[in-house]
């Protein structure tokens, strides 16, 4: 939607913007790793998990975690379940099921500490497995009040592509982001560019599907 794209220019990212980024990572990168069992949970699902008293009631709505090794969850500080696109801050929770640890990356630490810890507790109950909550205070810090969603997206990509998907099964991987920086302006431009590329590709596909001429299966004749 236009308002979702507009927020990418200089505003606070919407649920849809972050969900699009997760779908992009799944299609362009995660799909190439058949043996990877990593779940990118959508913001709406993370929010439901945080707000639902008994997370077991969400089993039918959530993806199966049976084979999952890691789960990424965007965390929102919204308290009102009736307010669409509510809240004022995003952070990222990465749950390593294999290690029994939930790593929290907050660009305005400790803003979303309580919310992330709540989601960890709910997920632990759902997985029937204890999870240690670790607040990574050395995560990259934002410099304004609107870049938190961009930080979530860029940190998520780094952890997925540079750490989890690059590691061997026997490797011990540090989940720390200490010393890393996030260029939010560049990140916004990149996300806008990717959306524009998808939009153009969609238009090309629609144009081909509406064309009255069907492509010939035989090579052109030269008389």
């Amino acid at each position: 939607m236009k308002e979702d794209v507009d927020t990418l220019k200089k505003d606070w990212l919407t649920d849809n913007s972050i969900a699009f980024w997760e779908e992009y990572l799944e299609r362009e990168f995660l799909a190439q790793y058949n043996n990877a069992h990593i779940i990118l949970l959508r913001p709406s699902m993370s929010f439901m998990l945080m707000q639902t008293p008994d997370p077991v009631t969400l089993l039918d709505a959530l993806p199966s975690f049976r084979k999952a090794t890691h789960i990424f969850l965007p965390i929102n500080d919204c308290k009102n379940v009736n307010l669409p696109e509510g809240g004022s801050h995003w952070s990222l929770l990465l749950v390593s099921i294999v290690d029994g640890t939930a790593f929290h990356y907050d660009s305005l630490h400790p803003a979303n500490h309580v919310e992330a810890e709540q989601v960890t507790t709910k997920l632990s109950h759902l997985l029937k497995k204890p999870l240690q909550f670790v607040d990574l205070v050395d995560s990259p810090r934002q410099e304004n009040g609107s870049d938190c969603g961009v930080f979530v997206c860029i940190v998520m990509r780094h952890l997925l592509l540079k750490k989890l998907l690059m590691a061997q099964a026997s490797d011990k991987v540090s989940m720390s982001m200490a010393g890393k920086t996030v260029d939010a302006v560049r990140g916004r431009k990149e996300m806008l560019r990717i959306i524009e590329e998808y939009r153009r590709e969609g238009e090309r596909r629609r144009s081909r599907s509406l064309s009255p001429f069907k492509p010939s299966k035989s090579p052109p004749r030269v008389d």
Side-chain angles (χ1 to χ4, degrees):
M1 297 175 67
K2 185 179 183 300
E3 55 263 35
D4 299 314
V5 175
D6 288 343
T7 64
L8 276 169
K9 296 175 182 177
K10 59 179 180 179
D11 208 345
W12 192 81
L13 265 59
T14 63
D15 292 32
N16 288 338
S17 297
I18 296 177
F20 166 82
W21 184 253
E22 290 181 308
E23 186 173 350
Y24 161 73
L25 293 177
E26 288 171 344
R27 289 188 177 186
E28 299 296 329
F29 302 102
L30 198 50
Q32 300 175 27
Y33 294 81
N34 296 326
N35 294 325
H37 300 290
I38 301 171
I39 293 175
L40 310 185
L41 206 63
R42 302 300 189 258
S44 58
M45 293 297 175
S46 299
F47 183 66
M48 278 202 306
L49 190 58
M50 181 173 64
Q51 297 294 336
T52 303
D54 182 4
V56 175
T57 61
L58 297 176
L59 279 175
D60 290 339
L62 294 169
S64 173
F65 299 136
R66 188 170 59 86
K67 294 183 179 180
T69 59
H70 298 82
I71 308 171
F72 284 89
L73 305 97
I75 303 297
N76 188 305
D77 65 350
C78 180
K79 304 292 192 297
N80 187 350
V81 296
N82 297 313
L83 182 63
E85 305 292 348
S88 60
H89 185 55
W90 290 106
S91 61
L92 178 66
L93 190 68
L94 169 56
V95 176
S96 173
I97 299 175
V98 291
D99 296 321
T101 307
F103 301 96
H104 185 221
Y105 305 85
D106 192 340
S107 55
L108 283 179
H109 178 270
N112 276 6
H113 176 97
V114 171
E115 289 81 3
E117 202 165 27
Q118 286 177 349
V119 172
T120 300
T121 300
K122 298 287 181 67
L123 198 56
S124 175
H125 180 55
L126 200 59
L127 297 171
K128 298 180 181 178
K129 179 184 176 104
L131 295 173
Q132 179 187 6
F133 179 75
V134 177
D135 223 344
L136 294 171
V137 298
D138 55 3
S139 299
R141 305 279 291 186
Q142 66 188 84
E143 297 179 353
N144 59 25
S146 59
D147 282 340
C148 52
V150 181
F151 272 65
V152 165
C153 292
I154 301 304
V155 170
M156 182 190 300
R157 179 177 63 180
H158 179 84
L159 293 171
L160 177 65
L161 303 188
K162 302 299 184 182
K163 292 185 178 284
L164 297 184
L165 293 180
M166 296 299 291
Q168 301 298 320
S170 59
D171 289 349
K172 277 290 183 181
V173 181
S174 170
M175 290 292 104
S176 172
M177 288 290 292
K180 302 293 183 182
T181 58
V182 172
D183 187 336
V185 173
R186 182 177 177 182
R188 287 179 184 275
K189 289 179 179 178
E190 182 179 7
M191 295 173 76
L192 285 166
R193 175 183 58 78
I194 292 169
I195 289 175
E196 179 62 17
E197 289 174 355
Y198 270 70
R199 185 190 67 79
R200 289 179 179 176
E201 177 60 25
E203 287 184 349
R204 284 195 292 268
R205 290 180 179 180
R206 284 193 296 272
S207 177
R208 287 195 296 267
S209 66
L210 293 174
S211 173
F213 304 104
K214 294 183 179 180
S216 172
K217 295 182 180 180
S218 58
R221 290 180 55 188
V222 178
D223 295 326

